[in-house]
């Protein structure tokens, strides 16, 4: 091993690096699962996975109908967990004849579309060549009929996976949910309804009749928030090259390098900071993608420096960034507005007041040239377009100079942002700091 | 890839970090793309330029759409599908698009089809993506996770916007894209970019001096590149004039500055505000001698072009007085016999605080308008239908607005929607001293 390390040159083979990039990006693909990630998820949520597996197995083998909700925050691995479980079932042959129907609340925005999608995915007779005939009522009747006439023995089990379940609750009368849960409740074709959502109060969204037909089986996925073994394990797994990687030597070296990376104080610091802000694995993936994209044949190894750079890209403050790009005149207006907000305790103001305040400043104290009213108004309008200023009521009738607006930043934010901006004239800085305005 | 990127860095000045970052994020051919990228920065910071150039160099099949163009989402879906599939609606195919598609479910399905056919990597670039917030609520989350929803089509969605991503978040959130910020150009960078447009006839130093002069006037008011570029191009002729005539040498900076300064100041108050179009402005530059008066004329023409009948003028003045004066002072201003009033210090202070010039016009009832009107018009006017119809004409001309009360007959309230300068010029025409009657000024 040691020998090999000496041999490997600093500049590495571009083709190899291409392969590495590709593999790592596959690992980091912002969603979804590789085999390894699936395994990790299963070990992490072993109880929940077992629960899901039991549910589905019972539907598939015994012909029981079930319903359950999987609840977790965004990026916690709901979809990937369900997918892994289904893959496992498929691999073990339990899935057999069963059909999986996947719906997303984002795409199927009403019941008609959802029904179309279900008929397509179930490959029912009247769905030929991706075209569904008939009206909504006909479709529903047909679907229910085909589900109803089935029984445990004769019909295939169906697993419905409803992604973004909370959006299905906003459909008219919740007809689809009612029917699905109703079939699940009564002795008809065996179906398993799995809802995935990030809203914890989703049960409250259901109508009473729908709620009473739901089995109230809820599976919560909570993040394991230990930093040391857990978070770092994820980190390691995301960066590891799999055994299937063509160049074995390189992957072995790479993996040991990743293990070394975990002892780098810079890396740990960056990771800790991210972990303190969010436990979302997707944020970690984004950060790592920013690091991986810095790899090149000149720089074939991950370094702590890369992580620092990625972090600075990742965690830049948008408001300060936007303020950096505005002109001095606009900055003056922001300061004037800040003073108005502090003096009148958050009451909305209009352009005339801001202009009055600005003129007081530019006439008395400033060495800067003072601008004419229309020029100032243009600057004010641009601030509105940047949504740093928002009008309070959308009153079309009033003149634009007199429309009431509010500053979308707190005075404290303004002061902080000004502190970070380079090259502000001194008199403006003093004006900003003075409390009298 | 390294070569193409370094080429681009040479081609597009001052955007090296952004180009490199974007190119490295997208990666080389066959690399999996990130699911979405969000780029923000002020307008004119090169977002579109960099994105299209990088995508083209990397050979990504791109659909470039501008969200302003779409009055409904169906048009947007079909345009994107057409561009990705290479369908062009022409007379040959009876102007039909790739597929008719009016919901997101179908859209995702079609993208999946296209993706399985072409093995190329794909990108959707959405300009002015802040408009997407006004569309259906689910468009943004779907576009952010298009890769997942299409199950492994190698596609990236790039949002370009002038607003930061904080303004996009809503409801239960979405898959966060990777954010890239395009900072505003610094002064030096602006000079460097503007230098690229130097006409070959003039020396580098000469043009640089000129740019610096323009910046010294405009930079405080705007940092936007497009505006500055426009001003630089527009005023260059005037700047060269003394050199061409032989009045000054190229290095005589002080004389050149003295020559150009009034021009630039004038441009600031006219072209910058688009009160005068650039064509008009250029014409004015040619008639240099008459130029200053011309500007004044054009400006005056804009504000007081409106020619109103005699009584309408007085009605407008009355409306102005009614909405900017408090009702309790009417007696003092408009009746013959009123008690004398002293201005105490406290009164002056109170006046300053709630000056209606700052707060804006207040609504007034029709009766008050007529009362003031009769008091300021010297001759006897009969309240004919004509007078009342003139009031409603003023409303349709947007000089006066009707507030509340959709009832036309029963005590409607009005507001005057005219600035002070305008009313002053109207008052001057009928030789009426308006300032004497204004509470804020007397």
């Amino acid at each position: 091993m040691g020998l090999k390390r000496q041999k490997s040159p600093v500049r590495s083979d571009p083709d190899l690096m291409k392969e590495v990039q590709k593999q790592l990006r596959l690992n980091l693909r912002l969603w979804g699962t590789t085999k390894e990630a699936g395994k990790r998820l299963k070990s992490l949520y072993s109880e929940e996975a077992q629960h899901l597996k039991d549910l589905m197995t019972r539907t598939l083998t015994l012909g029981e109908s079930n319903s359950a909700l999987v609840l977790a925050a965004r990026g916690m691995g709901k979809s990937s967990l369900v997918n892994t479980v289904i893959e496992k079932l498929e691999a073990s042959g339990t899935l057999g004849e069963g059909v999986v129907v996947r719906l997303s609340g984002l795409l199927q925005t009403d019941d008609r579309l959802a029904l179309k999608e279900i008929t397509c995915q179930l490959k029912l007779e009247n769905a030929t060549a991706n075209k569904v005939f008939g009206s909504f009522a006909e479709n529903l009747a047909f679907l229910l009929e085909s589900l109803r006439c089935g029984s445990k023995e004769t019909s295939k089990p169906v697993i419905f996976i409803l992604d973004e379940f909370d959006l299905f609750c906003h459909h008219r009368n919740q007809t689809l949910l009612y029917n699905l849960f109703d079939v699940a409740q009564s002795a008809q074709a065996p179906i398993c309804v799995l809802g995935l959502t990030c809203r914890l109060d989703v049960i409250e969204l259901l109508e009473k009749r729908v709620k009473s037909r739901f089995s109230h089986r809820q599976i919560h996925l909570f993040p394991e928030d230990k930093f040391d073994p857990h978070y770092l394990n994820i980190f390691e797994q995301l960066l590891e090259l799999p055994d299937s990687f063509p160049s074995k030597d390189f992957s072995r070296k790479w993996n040991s390098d990743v293990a070394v990376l975990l002892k780098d104080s810079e890396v740990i610091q960056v990771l800790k900071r991210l972990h303190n802000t969010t436990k979302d694995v997707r944020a970690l993936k984004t950060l790592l993608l920013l690091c991986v994209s810095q790899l090149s044949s000149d720089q074939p190894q991950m370094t702590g420096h890369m992580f620092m750079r990625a972090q600075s890209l990742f965690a830049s403050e948008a408001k300060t960034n936007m303020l950096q790009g505005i002109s001095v005149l606009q900055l003056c207006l922001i300061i004037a507005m800040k003073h108005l907000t502090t003096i009148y305790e958050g009451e909305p103001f209009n352009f005339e007041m801001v202009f009055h305040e600005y003129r007081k400043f530019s006439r008395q104290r400033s060495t800067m040239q003072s601008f004419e009213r229309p020029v100032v108004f243009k600057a004010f309008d641009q601030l509105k377009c940047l949504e740093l200023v928002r009008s309070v009521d959308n009153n079309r009738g009033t003149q634009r100079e007199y429309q009431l607006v509010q500053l979308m930043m707190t005075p404290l934010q303004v002061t902080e942002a000004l502190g970070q901006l380079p090259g502000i004239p001194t008199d403006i800085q003093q004006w900003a700091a003075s409390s009298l305005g | 890839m390294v070569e193409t990127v370094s080429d681009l860095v040479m081609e597009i000045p001052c955007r090296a970090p952004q180009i490199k970052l974007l190119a490295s994020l997208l990666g080389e051919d066959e690399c999996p793309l990130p699911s979405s990228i969000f780029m923000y920065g002020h307008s004119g910071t090169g977002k579109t330029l960099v994105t299209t150039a990088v995508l083209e160099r990397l050979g990504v099949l791109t659909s470039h759409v501008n969200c302003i163009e779409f009055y409904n989402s169906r048009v947007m879906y079909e345009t994107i599908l057409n561009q990705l599939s290479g369908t062009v609606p022409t007379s040959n195919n009876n102007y039909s698009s790739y597929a008719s598609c009016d919901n997101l479910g179908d859209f995702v399905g079609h993208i999946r089809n296209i993706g399985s056919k072409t093995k190329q990597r794909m990108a959707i670039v959405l300009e002015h993506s802040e408009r997407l917030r006004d569309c259906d609520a689910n468009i943004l989350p779907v576009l952010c996770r298009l890769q997942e929803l299409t199950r492994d089509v190698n596609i990236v969605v790039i949002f370009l916007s002038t607003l930061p991503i904080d303004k996009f978040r809503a409801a239960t959130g979405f898959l966060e894209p990777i954010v890239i910020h395009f900072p505003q150009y610094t002064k030096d960078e602006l000079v460097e970019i503007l230098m690229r447009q130097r006409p070959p006839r003039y020396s580098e130093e000469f043009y640089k001096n000129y740019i610096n002069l323009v910046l010294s006037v405009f930079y405080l008011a705007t940092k936007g590149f497009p505006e500055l570029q426009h001003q630089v191009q527009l005023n260059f002729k005037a700047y060269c004039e003394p050199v061409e005539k032989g009045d000054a040498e190229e290095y005589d900076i002080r004389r050149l500055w003295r020559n150009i300064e009034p021009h630039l100041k004038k441009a600031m108050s006219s072209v910058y505000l688009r009160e005068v179009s650039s064509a008009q402005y250029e014409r004015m530059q040619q008639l240099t001698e008459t130029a200053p008066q011309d500007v004044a004329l054009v400006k005056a023409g804009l504000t007081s072009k409106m020619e109103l009948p005699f009584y309408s003028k007085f009605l407008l003045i009355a409306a102005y007085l009614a909405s900017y004066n408090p009702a309790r002072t009417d007696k003092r201003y408009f009746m013959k016999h009123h008690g004398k009033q002293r201005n105490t210090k406290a009164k002056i202070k109170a006046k300053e605080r709630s000056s209606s010039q700052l707060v804006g016009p207040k609504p007034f009832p029709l009766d008050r308008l007529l009362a003031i009107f009769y008091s300021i018009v010297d001759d006897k006017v009969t309240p004919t239908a004509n007078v009342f119809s003139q009031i409603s004409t003023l409303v349709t001309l947007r000089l006066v607005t009707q507030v509340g009360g959709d009832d036309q007959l029963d005590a409607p309230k009005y507001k005057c929607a005219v600035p002070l300068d305008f009313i002053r010029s109207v008052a001057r025409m009928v030789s009426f001293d308006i300032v004497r009657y204004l509470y804020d000024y007397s």
Side-chain angles (χ1 to χ4, degrees), chain B residues 42-59:
Chain B
H42 293 270
S43 58
T45 44
K47 300 182 289 291
T48 313
L49 180 68
V50 166
T51 316
T52 41
V54 168
L55 285 173
E56 196 195 344
R57 292 296 162 96
L58 292 180

Side-chain angles (χ1 to χ4, degrees), chain A residues 20-32:
Chain A
V20 172
Q21 284 264 358
K22 204 170 156 187
Q23 184 58 47
L24 286 177
R25 276 165 203 249
L26 266 181
N27 279 5
L28 290 174
R29 191 149 236 201
L30 281 171
W31 59 278

Side-chain angles (χ1 to χ4, degrees), chain A residues 18 25 29 74 106 378, chain B residues 24-25 138 152 172 272:
Chain A
K18 241 185 208 175
R25 276 165 203 249
R29 191 149 236 201
R74 283 205 178 264
L106 288 171
K378 186 170 176 177
Chain B
S24 65
L25 272 178
N138 58 345
D152 264 338
T172 49
Y272 175 68

Side-chain angles (χ1 to χ4, degrees), chain B residues 350-363:
Chain B
K351 215 183 201 176
E352 232 167 47
R353 209 171 300 142
S354 63
S355 160
S356 52
Q357 292 297 330
L358 283 188
V359 180
K362 301 246 175 343

Side-chain angles (χ1 to χ4, degrees), chain B residues 266 284 287-301:
Chain B
K266 205 169 58 193
M284 274 162 12
L287 319 161
T288 338
E289 286 75 38
T290 58
Q293 292 93 326
D294 260 17
V295 178
L297 269 182
V298 171
K299 274 173 105 176

Side-chain angles (χ1 to χ4, degrees), chain B residues 5 20 43 94 112 119 126 146 165 178 191 205 210 219 231 237 256 351 361 367 382 432:
Chain B
V5 169
K20 279 180 193 153
S43 58
N94 217 3
R112 199 183 302 157
K119 289 284 160 259
L126 296 159
L146 194 61
I165 195 162
I178 301 172
V191 173
E205 201 185 346
Y210 167 64
Y219 193 66
Q231 297 295 349
K237 234 182 202 166
L256 286 172
K351 215 183 201 176
D367 299 343
T382 37
F432 175 81

